[in-house]
Amino acid sequence: LPPERRRAFLQFNFSLRLIQLHFFNIIFAILNTVVTSSRVFQFVDLWCALVGAIGYALMYVLVLDRIGVHLYPVFSPRTLWSVL
């Protein structure tokens, strides 16, 4: 990316609105799980989360990346960060 587009991209990603959105989503997810859930976390929950994450990763890399939709630069197979 050119320097001006890279700067705009970083400015957008670290904007107050996005930080607030992600922060409150994490807080609400924790509260939803801890406060309102009467069910105990089980091992099958971990497997379901893992299957969902791998399914989304495959859809992102095999479908969205090929048609040019780049939602997560870290998740792109073209970067060194994709190894993480």
Side-chain angles (χ1 to χ4, degrees):
L1 286 174
E4 61 275 356
R5 290 204 50 197
R6 183 178 301 227
R7 190 172 17 264
F9 175 76
L10 287 174
Q11 192 174 26
F12 170 72
N13 280 313
F14 289 105
S15 67
L16 182 63
R17 183 175 294 255
L18 282 182
I19 291 172
Q20 284 178 332
L21 176 80
H22 287 95
F23 176 75
F24 285 117
N25 275 342
I26 291 169
I27 297 298
F28 291 146
I30 290 170
L31 287 174
N32 186 32
T33 304
V34 172
V35 175
T36 64
S37 179
S38 61
R39 201 169 74 83
V40 178
F41 184 78
Q42 297 176 355
F43 196 65
V44 72
D45 296 327
L46 181 64
W47 282 109
C48 289
L50 188 64
V51 166
I54 290 173
Y56 182 75
L58 287 174
M59 182 199 70
Y60 183 82
V61 171
L62 298 176
V63 177
L64 295 178
D65 189 58
R66 290 181 184 223
I67 62 173
V69 178
H70 305 291
L71 301 173
Y72 310 108
V74 174
F75 210 42
S76 175
R78 294 178 184 84
T79 66
L80 293 176
W81 291 100
S82 64
V83 176
L84 297 176

